[in-house]
Amino acid sequence: MSVTILKPGVFKHITCRNNIYPKSAVKRFPVPDEFVYWSKEYSEYAPEVYTAPHINGQPWADVNIVSADSQPKWNQIDGDVNRVSFNGIYKIENGLPTNPIGRTGLRGRGLLGRWGPNHAADPVVTRWKREADGKMSVDSCSQKRILQMVAIQRHDNKMWAIPGGMVDPGEKVSSTLKREFMEEALNSLDNTEMIETFFTNGSEIYKGYVDDFRNTDNAWMETVAYNFHDEDGTKVGKFSLSAGDDAANVKWLDINSSVELHANHIDIIKEVIKRLNAHW
Ligand code: BGC
C-alpha cells in the first residue's frame, strides 16, 4: 500500500507558487490558495512563459518548440521517454501538458527537461540509531526506536533530501534507485553482491506528483520512492558515506518531527516512520 497520491481536492502545491522561479529573475504570477485548481475560474491569470535557456539542446531535454511534426506522444511511453503520469491522464491544452494539481504561476518548462511529467526515483535507506556500545537508541518520551535515513544536501537549494535522481530514458526504476544511491551517497559504482541483494528488498512507499520548486503549469516532477531498511545495521547501515559530485553533503540523519526536507520528501519519510513504528 502506498501513501495517498497527491491530487486535486486532497492537496494544493505550495513550493511551486508565489515565489521567484529558481535560478532566474522570473516572478511567478500570484496564485492564491483558492485559485490553485484549474476547475476554479481565474480570469486575470496571465503567467509568463519561461524555459531556462541552457536546457535547449541538452540530450535529456525535449525540443523547445512543440511543432506539429515533432509532437511527443503525450500520456504514453514515447520511445525511451516515459510520458505517462502516475496521477492519471493529464490534459493537453494549446498543444501542451497541463499540471495535474493546478496553477503554478508560470508556463513553459523552467528548469525541467521534459514537457509533462519528469520522472525521478527516491531510495529511502534506513537503519536504527545505535549507541556507541551497539545498543539500540530509544527516545525517552515516545519510548520508540529512532530511525536514521541516508540524507544528502542538494547543491541547488541546499536542503537535505532523499538521495534520489532522474530516471534515465529507458532505465528501470529499480536501477535508478540503486545507481543514484551509489553515486550520491557512497560515491562509488562498485556493485558488491551485498548491495545488489540489499536493493532487491525494498518496499514501495510512494509514487506520483512531487511539490518541487521547479514545477510549472506545463512541466512537473513525479517520483517513485522505495524504502530499503537495514534492520540489524550489518549491511548498507555499516557503510561510511561519502558525497558524490551531485551532492554537497551526506549523512545518517536522525528522523523526528522537526526535520525539514526538500519538496514533499517529509511526507514520504512519515510513511516509512509509520510502517516501521519508529519515533517521530
Ligand atoms: C531529486 C529527487 C526528488 C525530485 C523531485 C529530483 O531532482 O533527485 O530526489 O524527489 O527531484 O523533487
Side-chain angles (χ1 to χ4, degrees):
M1 242 271 288
S2 279
V3 277
T4 324
I5 207 151
L6 302 183
K7 59 181 184 205
V10 176
F11 171 78
K12 285 179 180 168
H13 44 215
I14 297 167
T15 311
C16 58
R17 57 184 170 109
N18 303 327
N19 51 25
I20 308 276
Y21 192 82
K23 294 192 181 156
S24 82
V26 184
K27 204 164 172 266
R28 292 178 185 266
F29 195 89
V31 180
D33 272 4
E34 64 268 39
F35 292 117
V36 171
Y37 301 149
W38 297 108
S39 53
K40 171 89 178 179
E41 171 90 22
Y42 187 9
S43 50
E44 300 85 4
Y45 190 57
E48 268 194 57
V49 178
Y50 173 70
T51 295
H54 76 268
I55 74 171
N56 286 317
Q58 294 290 344
W60 43 265
D62 288 336
V63 287
N64 202 15
I65 295 138
V66 186
S67 60
D69 56 329
S70 73
Q71 270 275 327
K73 295 195 177 84
W74 306 124
N75 287 298
Q76 291 174 50
I77 304 283
D78 182 8
D80 264 356
V81 183
N82 179 6
R83 299 191 192 276
V84 180
S85 167
F86 288 118
N87 284 54
I89 302 287
Y90 48 87
K91 283 201 190 123
I92 306 300
E93 261 174 40
N94 303 319
L96 294 175
T98 307
N99 187 305
I101 299 294
R103 298 180 180 92
T104 66
L106 195 73
R107 295 192 177 123
R109 267 173 303 163
L111 288 164
L112 296 176
R114 304 284 173 205
W115 297 102
N118 287 253
H119 290 283
D122 281 298
V124 183
V125 174
T126 53
R127 70 176 185 190
W128 296 113
K129 184 176 185 175
R130 285 168 196 273
E131 311 291 345
D133 61 4
K135 259 196 15 230
M136 208 66 96
S137 302
V138 170
D139 181 80
S140 53
C141 286
S142 69
Q143 295 302 318
K144 287 186 174 178
R145 290 175 297 173
I146 299 166
L147 198 66
Q148 293 185 315
M149 68 176 272
V150 174
I152 54 117
Q153 193 180 23
R154 295 174 63 98
H155 282 298
D156 56 4
N157 57 6
K158 301 283 174 277
M159 295 192 79
W160 288 92
I162 306 168
M166 307 303 295
V167 181
D168 286 341
E171 188 179 39
K172 277 199 191 143
V173 167
S174 56
S175 311
T176 317
L177 289 162
K178 191 173 62 192
R179 177 177 58 73
E180 286 294 339
F181 179 77
M182 301 201 39
E183 282 176 11
E184 295 193 2
L186 295 183
N187 198 14
S188 146
L189 286 172
D190 284 349
N191 237 338
T192 64
E193 215 181 302
M194 184 267 276
I195 292 187
E196 201 60 46
T197 318
F198 184 72
F199 278 97
T200 54
N201 288 311
S203 52
E204 188 184 293
I205 300 293
Y206 178 74
K207 60 177 177 217
Y209 186 85
V210 180
D211 184 6
D212 187 283
F213 66 143
R214 295 163 292 188
N215 292 351
T216 71
D217 287 3
N218 309 120
W220 60 91
M221 289 299 311
E222 298 197 7
T223 198
V224 180
Y226 267 74
N227 178 215
F228 301 95
H229 178 60
D230 187 356
E231 178 66 25
D232 58 12
T234 58
K235 294 172 264 319
V236 170
K238 68 168 195 232
F239 279 9
S240 45
L241 307 168
S242 162
D245 290 349
D246 280 358
N249 247 309
V250 65
K251 67 177 175 188
W252 284 102
L253 175 73
D254 291 5
I255 312 174
N256 56 55
S257 54
S258 61
V259 166
E260 279 179 25
L261 295 176
H262 163 76
N264 57 316
H265 282 183
I266 201 67
D267 297 324
I268 294 170
I269 302 302
K270 262 195 228 163
E271 180 64 20
V272 177
I273 289 282
K274 207 164 87 195
R275 291 190 194 188
L276 296 175
N277 190 25
H279 167 68
W280 174 240

